[in-house]
Amino acid sequence: MLNETLKAIRKSKGLSQEELAVRLNVVRQTISKWEQGLSVPDSDMLISISEVLETPVSTLLGETVVESKPDDFKALSEKLEFINLQLAQKKTVKRKFFHWLFIVLCALTVIISVILFVLNSPYLGWNDHDPYTLVAGVYFHAFEWLFVRLAPFLLIGSVIGICLTRKKR
């Protein structure tokens, strides 16, 4: 339903798939997939499409718009307000989750770095004749080697993530 409506409205506005794609900041193949029914745009993109095509979202979704009574408008506005509130809460929860994830990642990077610094590579003094300690030493060395190379990127990425996901006042 959306695919046929989108194609018809786009053509009635005299836009090519490429022109619509440029206005929506997507690639032309995305418009083609929408019009073929292979994929559908998300809610934010639907709003952008409706603005670019100067068409209500309900029309894009194939609803026939009948003249509504004032009570219908009130009910619709309440539903939209509820949906917007849910979307805002979901976005806030997602932002908080990633914020704390970056804080934990940053803290773990610092803690592991301190532990490795304090231990001063103890695997070098392990008994190489005991196969169990030799295997553990190899694993510890591999972990330390990899961690030392990745830690700066983890730390910088975590700090950037913390800054980008902090609560804006």
Side-chain angles (χ1 to χ4, degrees), residues 49-86:
I49 293 169
S50 75
E51 290 171 355
V52 168
L53 296 178
E54 299 171 343
T55 305
V57 174
S58 59
T59 303
L60 286 173
L61 296 175
E63 289 183 17
T64 54
V65 180
V66 294
E67 200 161 316
S68 301
K69 301 173 191 164
D71 291 339
D72 291 343
F73 285 127
K74 184 178 179 185
L76 181 62
S77 68
E78 287 173 356
K79 285 180 184 178
L80 286 174
E81 184 178 345
F82 181 72
I83 290 170
N84 283 336
L85 182 62
Q86 283 181 327

Side-chain angles (χ1 to χ4, degrees), residues 11 15 19-20 33 35 37 44 54 58 79 86 93-94 104 143 146 153 162:
K11 286 185 175 184
L15 294 172
E19 291 168 329
L20 182 58
K33 285 182 180 179
E35 289 183 357
D44 292 335
E54 299 171 343
S58 59
K79 285 180 184 178
Q86 283 181 327
V93 166
K94 191 176 184 181
V104 167
F143 169 76
L146 185 64
F153 298 109
I162 290 168

